[in-house]
Amino acid sequence: MEKEIKKPWHSLSAEEVIKILKTSSKGLTSEEANKRLKVHGYNEISVKKKSPLQIFLRQFENFLILILIIAALISALLGEIIDSIAIGIVILIMGIMGFLQEYRAEKTIEALKKLMEPVSLVIRDGKEQQIPSKNLVPGDILILSEGDKIPADARLIESYNLEVDESSLTGESVPVAKDANAVLPEDTPVSNRTNMVFAGTYVVRGKGKAVIVETGLTTELGKIAVEVAEAKEEKTPLEVELDYFAKRIGLVILALSAIVFTIYVLIDREQVIHALMASIALAVAAIPEGLPAIATAILALGALRMSKKNALVKRLSAIEALGSVDVICSDKTGTITKGEMTVKVVKFPNSEYSVSGAGYEPHGELKLSNGKHNEADLKFLLEILAAHISTDVKLINKEGKWSIQGSPTEGAALVLSYKGLSPEGVNKAINELKTVKIIPFDRFRKRKTTAHTYQDRYLVVSSGAPEMLLDISFKVRIDGVEKPLTDDIKSNILSEIERLASSGYRTFGVAYKIIEEIPEDDEELEKDLVFLAVLGIVDPPREGVKEAVAMTKKAKIKTVIVTGDHKLTAMAIARMIGLDVSEENVLEGATLEKMSDEELLKVIDNITVFARVTPMHKVRIVRALKSKGYRVAMTGDGVNDAPALKAADVGVAMGIRGTDVAKEAADLILLDDNYATIVEAVKEGRLIWENLKKPINFLLSCNLAEVVAVATSAFAKLPMIFLPIQLLWINVVTDSFPAIALGLEPPEPGLLERPPRKERLINRRKLAYYVFMGLLLGSTTVAFYALLLPKYGVGIARTFVFTGLVLAEIGLALVSRSENNLIFKLPANKKLIWALLGAIILQLIAILPPLNTVFKTEMLPKELLPLLLVFPVVPLVDEIRKKLGIRLS
Ligand code: ADP
Ligand code: MG
């Protein structure tokens, strides 16, 4: 599509823009959109992928490996061709192993990112539909609502109280009010283009429709992104820690290698190249530079496993916090409960109706269950509800299945109108009561208000938390007559509300007033209402939540309900899912508001339910819990929840109900919005964390053993204990199968029955443990070497300790399966058995023909074979430590 215009989009009217882009308010056809996609390309800002070749080559960027290659080349020049080819091949194998780890991690992370690909609500083919944001094209009509991330630059065509947070683009943190009707001078700067919305910014309030004008790199954001060089990929704190640690250990090993080199050169000046190769091989084999990659692979694979259980981890580093969560603060509605609501009770001051039917199916009956018939008020209620709710909510029938689009609470009320009025009645009410104003529901006011034409006057309808509506009402409608709201009547209504709430009903009040003119001021509009009725809405707990709560109890994780709902409703639901709550375990938003931080700290340990809270309270709750030393997971879905999600150790956003803003702020996204999924994720988090420690413990102990063996034998002026290729091979054998299999251990018994643990991956005690293990294995190896040397000669002694060390490390792999549990108490890990068999086969390759000549090994005499069994048994001393209950952290 040619762009003939010279004028910038904001200087044109919405109609002109629509015309230029050859679209309409019904949107593009899919066919046209596909054509445009070919012309404009995907709506994305450069996604550079690392090619497999790049990942492969990166494995050899290591300085030490380069030196080793050079040393191998030099020794080839000096005539030891087979030797250097063999070393080359082993390095290649190590490179391939490193590549496989990293490639797998990369692929997994990519797969996770795919799951997080954003979608946008767009009109295409005349229908509203969710489309992957990257497929958007100029001419698409976007529908914007609170919390949406704007996917492309677009010219507004409709806006209602629309406010956009453009800080990501302009740095301005105050939301900008937008106006579809504005037509602006051509030279208006981006920050003042109030008739446009821009990619990467967020709707914080209101609603709107806009036609996309620019996508991908031609958006304002895209232009900046091209200017600013691509941001480097951030490392997770965990990777940073491991990097740091690998480097520190690396330095020690380098120093030891240098000493070993010096000693060998001093022993035999002729052998400089050999000594050099030996010490570099030691450094290459023993420096754990592969650790961060292994850790990332384990985290990424764990994250992928979690995603299959509907928990999407956005940052791999969140897994650590997840595994040590002590308090889960969860929304009630839709997370602990099903969030599919049905009105069951309609309560007027003098009469009560019960409603039959389930879900959103608009079939059911309203039957008088108490008091006297009140046809007129009932009809009035249903009609004004129809008009009031249909401004935001639609009832949809798809292949016989009824669902709603919009807020479930309001949906339930709309379905009630359908049940009582029939579809014709609902449509008639909507047509007669034309909407003139909407103040949407928000979590602070806890109500929604609309205004409609009403004969020659106006009707104002408010719905929301009933006791709060009562506070702004001054009259009440009883049997068709508006009467003053006396204290008596008020307390009667309040006790009815409490009665409904204590049986677990979500309460929803409706009030109205009829006025001559619509006031400018919103507060004025919501004043002096006439209270009409309370609806009791059922929203039962989800299946599996009770079990999940029971599990958290065992795992010493506290579940706290944080809800905007009535305290009694919340308490009733809390009891249904097995939480013990009484009055003193409940704190209401209004009370919290009055408390100082110190006072909150004093009581917070006792609180299980926070009721009638606003999103700002959530931040205070998180902060208070954190300052008590808890690791806190907090759920959220709305725009206003973002600060609390960020403040929490693990911010949890709802995948279905959640806004883009909440998802962006979160660490974890629940694809099914389910509380039980959080618990599942915590469980996985603990497992992943445990499985991360195992290969690390294993590899560091192994590497130290190798270093100790080489260094002590050099100090003792014994002939070189391992040849370079043998050292490298030991590394291949242990870093491959056993290390990977240790990362895949099944959960240890008691994983969920113990309190959450907060620990660093590596600490002093562990370090001491690695050194101890290293000394033990290393000195055993050297002792055997020294003993066998005089009788059997270097060839056999070397082959013996070469094989022995591999066997010792296999034993070490076994004890590394658990930090605190004895091996025989662990569930079987078949993968590890195969891995250890694999390791043994790799070792056999090195000591049996035909490759024994390459590895310079010799056949071991029969009488030595039983002695080899000593090696795998040595690491088992660790079992004594476990038995004695000496902990590593
Ligand atoms: P929760 O924490 O349970 O999700 P909400 O903040 O959604 O609580 O709701 C709190 C109260 O506000 C409800 O009890 C209900 O009375 C009222 N309410 C909820 N949603 C709406 C809505 N869309 N319109 C009017 N009132 C609502
Ligand atoms: Mg809610």
Side-chain angles (χ1 to χ4, degrees), residues 308-327:
K308 299 205 169 106
K309 296 180 173 172
N310 288 325
L312 208 54
V313 177
K314 275 184 52 199
R315 281 180 277 274
L316 289 185
S317 53
I319 292 176
E320 176 189 0
L322 200 55
S324 57
V325 156
D326 325 277
V327 184

PDB file of all heavy atoms in Angstrom, residues 308-327:
ATOM      1  N   LYS A 308       3.992 -26.712  31.482  1.00  0.00           N
ATOM      2  CA  LYS A 308       3.034 -27.769  31.152  1.00  0.00           C
ATOM      3  C   LYS A 308       2.007 -27.919  32.261  1.00  0.00           C
ATOM      4  O   LYS A 308       0.938 -28.497  32.052  1.00  0.00           O
ATOM      5  CB  LYS A 308       3.761 -29.081  30.913  1.00  0.00           C
ATOM      6  CG  LYS A 308       4.721 -28.944  29.751  1.00  0.00           C
ATOM      7  CD  LYS A 308       5.035 -30.240  29.043  1.00  0.00           C
ATOM      8  CE  LYS A 308       5.784 -29.925  27.759  1.00  0.00           C
ATOM      9  NZ  LYS A 308       7.210 -30.260  27.841  1.00  0.00           N
ATOM     10  N   LYS A 309       2.357 -27.420  33.452  1.00  0.00           N
ATOM     11  CA  LYS A 309       1.381 -27.438  34.546  1.00  0.00           C
ATOM     12  C   LYS A 309       0.736 -26.071  34.692  1.00  0.00           C
ATOM     13  O   LYS A 309       0.293 -25.702  35.772  1.00  0.00           O
ATOM     14  CB  LYS A 309       2.074 -27.842  35.843  1.00  0.00           C
ATOM     15  CG  LYS A 309       2.617 -29.244  35.782  1.00  0.00           C
ATOM     16  CD  LYS A 309       3.287 -29.621  37.081  1.00  0.00           C
ATOM     17  CE  LYS A 309       3.672 -31.089  37.060  1.00  0.00           C
ATOM     18  NZ  LYS A 309       4.490 -31.432  38.219  1.00  0.00           N
ATOM     19  N   ASN A 310       0.771 -25.299  33.636  1.00  0.00           N
ATOM     20  CA  ASN A 310       0.086 -24.002  33.584  1.00  0.00           C
ATOM     21  C   ASN A 310       0.749 -22.877  34.361  1.00  0.00           C
ATOM     22  O   ASN A 310       0.123 -21.856  34.608  1.00  0.00           O
ATOM     23  CB  ASN A 310      -1.371 -24.125  34.046  1.00  0.00           C
ATOM     24  CG  ASN A 310      -2.213 -24.849  33.030  1.00  0.00           C
ATOM     25  OD1 ASN A 310      -1.986 -24.698  31.839  1.00  0.00           O
ATOM     26  ND2 ASN A 310      -3.149 -25.637  33.496  1.00  0.00           N
ATOM     27  N   ALA A 311       1.986 -23.077  34.778  1.00  0.00           N
ATOM     28  CA  ALA A 311       2.689 -21.994  35.466  1.00  0.00           C
ATOM     29  C   ALA A 311       3.837 -21.539  34.574  1.00  0.00           C
ATOM     30  O   ALA A 311       4.750 -22.297  34.285  1.00  0.00           O
ATOM     31  CB  ALA A 311       3.223 -22.474  36.801  1.00  0.00           C
ATOM     32  N   LEU A 312       3.742 -20.305  34.131  1.00  0.00           N
ATOM     33  CA  LEU A 312       4.723 -19.792  33.186  1.00  0.00           C
ATOM     34  C   LEU A 312       5.700 -18.889  33.920  1.00  0.00           C
ATOM     35  O   LEU A 312       5.317 -17.839  34.436  1.00  0.00           O
ATOM     36  CB  LEU A 312       3.962 -18.987  32.132  1.00  0.00           C
ATOM     37  CG  LEU A 312       4.555 -18.889  30.762  1.00  0.00           C
ATOM     38  CD1 LEU A 312       4.835 -20.275  30.229  1.00  0.00           C
ATOM     39  CD2 LEU A 312       3.591 -18.166  29.840  1.00  0.00           C
ATOM     40  N   VAL A 313       6.960 -19.300  33.972  1.00  0.00           N
ATOM     41  CA  VAL A 313       7.965 -18.488  34.662  1.00  0.00           C
ATOM     42  C   VAL A 313       8.536 -17.479  33.685  1.00  0.00           C
ATOM     43  O   VAL A 313       8.992 -17.849  32.615  1.00  0.00           O
ATOM     44  CB  VAL A 313       9.107 -19.370  35.186  1.00  0.00           C
ATOM     45  CG1 VAL A 313      10.176 -18.517  35.823  1.00  0.00           C
ATOM     46  CG2 VAL A 313       8.571 -20.368  36.157  1.00  0.00           C
ATOM     47  N   LYS A 314       8.473 -16.211  34.047  1.00  0.00           N
ATOM     48  CA  LYS A 314       8.952 -15.209  33.103  1.00  0.00           C
ATOM     49  C   LYS A 314      10.444 -14.988  33.206  1.00  0.00           C
ATOM     50  O   LYS A 314      11.102 -14.694  32.225  1.00  0.00           O
ATOM     51  CB  LYS A 314       8.230 -13.887  33.339  1.00  0.00           C
ATOM     52  CG  LYS A 314       6.905 -13.859  32.601  1.00  0.00           C
ATOM     53  CD  LYS A 314       6.252 -12.516  32.750  1.00  0.00           C
ATOM     54  CE  LYS A 314       7.196 -11.398  32.363  1.00  0.00           C
ATOM     55  NZ  LYS A 314       6.757 -10.128  32.914  1.00  0.00           N
ATOM     56  N   ARG A 315      10.953 -15.068  34.413  1.00  0.00           N
ATOM     57  CA  ARG A 315      12.398 -14.915  34.602  1.00  0.00           C
ATOM     58  C   ARG A 315      12.891 -16.170  35.286  1.00  0.00           C
ATOM     59  O   ARG A 315      12.345 -16.554  36.327  1.00  0.00           O
ATOM     60  CB  ARG A 315      12.679 -13.704  35.487  1.00  0.00           C
ATOM     61  CG  ARG A 315      12.599 -12.391  34.765  1.00  0.00           C
ATOM     62  CD  ARG A 315      12.896 -11.239  35.706  1.00  0.00           C
ATOM     63  NE  ARG A 315      11.708 -10.862  36.449  1.00  0.00           N
ATOM     64  CZ  ARG A 315      10.794 -10.018  35.999  1.00  0.00           C
ATOM     65  NH1 ARG A 315      10.938  -9.480  34.818  1.00  0.00           N
ATOM     66  NH2 ARG A 315       9.734  -9.718  36.712  1.00  0.00           N
ATOM     67  N   LEU A 316      13.905 -16.788  34.715  1.00  0.00           N
ATOM     68  CA  LEU A 316      14.378 -18.042  35.288  1.00  0.00           C
ATOM     69  C   LEU A 316      14.799 -17.857  36.737  1.00  0.00           C
ATOM     70  O   LEU A 316      14.663 -18.743  37.569  1.00  0.00           O
ATOM     71  CB  LEU A 316      15.556 -18.577  34.475  1.00  0.00           C
ATOM     72  CG  LEU A 316      15.189 -19.107  33.088  1.00  0.00           C
ATOM     73  CD1 LEU A 316      16.414 -19.709  32.436  1.00  0.00           C
ATOM     74  CD2 LEU A 316      14.077 -20.116  33.173  1.00  0.00           C
ATOM     75  N   SER A 317      15.292 -16.663  37.060  1.00  0.00           N
ATOM     76  CA  SER A 317      15.777 -16.463  38.419  1.00  0.00           C
ATOM     77  C   SER A 317      14.639 -16.487  39.434  1.00  0.00           C
ATOM     78  O   SER A 317      14.871 -16.643  40.626  1.00  0.00           O
ATOM     79  CB  SER A 317      16.545 -15.157  38.522  1.00  0.00           C
ATOM     80  OG  SER A 317      15.749 -14.106  38.031  1.00  0.00           O
ATOM     81  N   ALA A 318      13.401 -16.331  38.968  1.00  0.00           N
ATOM     82  CA  ALA A 318      12.269 -16.354  39.901  1.00  0.00           C
ATOM     83  C   ALA A 318      12.090 -17.740  40.506  1.00  0.00           C
ATOM     84  O   ALA A 318      11.484 -17.884  41.567  1.00  0.00           O
ATOM     85  CB  ALA A 318      10.997 -15.934  39.192  1.00  0.00           C
ATOM     86  N   ILE A 319      12.629 -18.757  39.845  1.00  0.00           N
ATOM     87  CA  ILE A 319      12.452 -20.115  40.341  1.00  0.00           C
ATOM     88  C   ILE A 319      13.054 -20.260  41.735  1.00  0.00           C
ATOM     89  O   ILE A 319      12.498 -20.918  42.595  1.00  0.00           O
ATOM     90  CB  ILE A 319      13.083 -21.127  39.368  1.00  0.00           C
ATOM     91  CG1 ILE A 319      12.270 -21.138  38.072  1.00  0.00           C
ATOM     92  CG2 ILE A 319      13.121 -22.516  39.983  1.00  0.00           C
ATOM     93  CD1 ILE A 319      12.835 -22.015  37.007  1.00  0.00           C
ATOM     94  N   GLU A 320      14.173 -19.595  41.944  1.00  0.00           N
ATOM     95  CA  GLU A 320      14.811 -19.673  43.246  1.00  0.00           C
ATOM     96  C   GLU A 320      13.886 -19.151  44.340  1.00  0.00           C
ATOM     97  O   GLU A 320      13.634 -19.815  45.346  1.00  0.00           O
ATOM     98  CB  GLU A 320      16.110 -18.857  43.241  1.00  0.00           C
ATOM     99  CG  GLU A 320      16.753 -18.844  44.596  1.00  0.00           C
ATOM    100  CD  GLU A 320      17.921 -17.869  44.684  1.00  0.00           C
ATOM    101  OE1 GLU A 320      18.234 -17.204  43.691  1.00  0.00           O
ATOM    102  OE2 GLU A 320      18.506 -17.799  45.771  1.00  0.00           O
ATOM    103  N   ALA A 321      13.339 -17.942  44.106  1.00  0.00           N
ATOM    104  CA  ALA A 321      12.438 -17.347  45.089  1.00  0.00           C
ATOM    105  C   ALA A 321      11.195 -18.231  45.254  1.00  0.00           C
ATOM    106  O   ALA A 321      10.712 -18.445  46.362  1.00  0.00           O
ATOM    107  CB  ALA A 321      12.037 -15.950  44.647  1.00  0.00           C
ATOM    108  N   LEU A 322      10.726 -18.760  44.149  1.00  0.00           N
ATOM    109  CA  LEU A 322       9.530 -19.604  44.168  1.00  0.00           C
ATOM    110  C   LEU A 322       9.726 -20.810  45.074  1.00  0.00           C
ATOM    111  O   LEU A 322       8.835 -21.177  45.843  1.00  0.00           O
ATOM    112  CB  LEU A 322       9.269 -20.068  42.733  1.00  0.00           C
ATOM    113  CG  LEU A 322       7.894 -20.552  42.379  1.00  0.00           C
ATOM    114  CD1 LEU A 322       6.863 -19.501  42.711  1.00  0.00           C
ATOM    115  CD2 LEU A 322       7.844 -20.877  40.899  1.00  0.00           C
ATOM    116  N   GLY A 323      10.908 -21.400  44.982  1.00  0.00           N
ATOM    117  CA  GLY A 323      11.173 -22.594  45.765  1.00  0.00           C
ATOM    118  C   GLY A 323      11.255 -22.312  47.265  1.00  0.00           C
ATOM    119  O   GLY A 323      11.176 -23.234  48.063  1.00  0.00           O
ATOM    120  N   SER A 324      11.397 -21.062  47.641  1.00  0.00           N
ATOM    121  CA  SER A 324      11.541 -20.781  49.062  1.00  0.00           C
ATOM    122  C   SER A 324      10.434 -19.874  49.594  1.00  0.00           C
ATOM    123  O   SER A 324      10.594 -19.218  50.611  1.00  0.00           O
ATOM    124  CB  SER A 324      12.904 -20.160  49.337  1.00  0.00           C
ATOM    125  OG  SER A 324      13.059 -19.002  48.564  1.00  0.00           O
ATOM    126  N   VAL A 325       9.308 -19.852  48.866  1.00  0.00           N
ATOM    127  CA  VAL A 325       8.178 -19.017  49.301  1.00  0.00           C
ATOM    128  C   VAL A 325       7.618 -19.500  50.639  1.00  0.00           C
ATOM    129  O   VAL A 325       7.462 -20.692  50.858  1.00  0.00           O
ATOM    130  CB  VAL A 325       7.079 -19.057  48.214  1.00  0.00           C
ATOM    131  CG1 VAL A 325       5.715 -18.741  48.798  1.00  0.00           C
ATOM    132  CG2 VAL A 325       7.418 -18.108  47.083  1.00  0.00           C
ATOM    133  N   ASP A 326       7.374 -18.563  51.577  1.00  0.00           N
ATOM    134  CA  ASP A 326       6.713 -18.943  52.828  1.00  0.00           C
ATOM    135  C   ASP A 326       5.272 -18.489  52.901  1.00  0.00           C
ATOM    136  O   ASP A 326       4.519 -18.984  53.717  1.00  0.00           O
ATOM    137  CB  ASP A 326       7.273 -18.295  54.088  1.00  0.00           C
ATOM    138  CG  ASP A 326       8.726 -18.047  54.125  1.00  0.00           C
ATOM    139  OD1 ASP A 326       9.394 -19.007  54.449  1.00  0.00           O
ATOM    140  OD2 ASP A 326       9.139 -16.936  53.878  1.00  0.00           O
ATOM    141  N   VAL A 327       4.927 -17.426  52.176  1.00  0.00           N
ATOM    142  CA  VAL A 327       3.559 -16.925  52.251  1.00  0.00           C
ATOM    143  C   VAL A 327       3.041 -16.738  50.838  1.00  0.00           C
ATOM    144  O   VAL A 327       3.711 -16.134  50.001  1.00  0.00           O
ATOM    145  CB  VAL A 327       3.494 -15.553  52.967  1.00  0.00           C
ATOM    146  CG1 VAL A 327       2.047 -15.104  53.112  1.00  0.00           C
ATOM    147  CG2 VAL A 327       4.157 -15.610  54.330  1.00  0.00           C
TER     148      VAL A 327
END
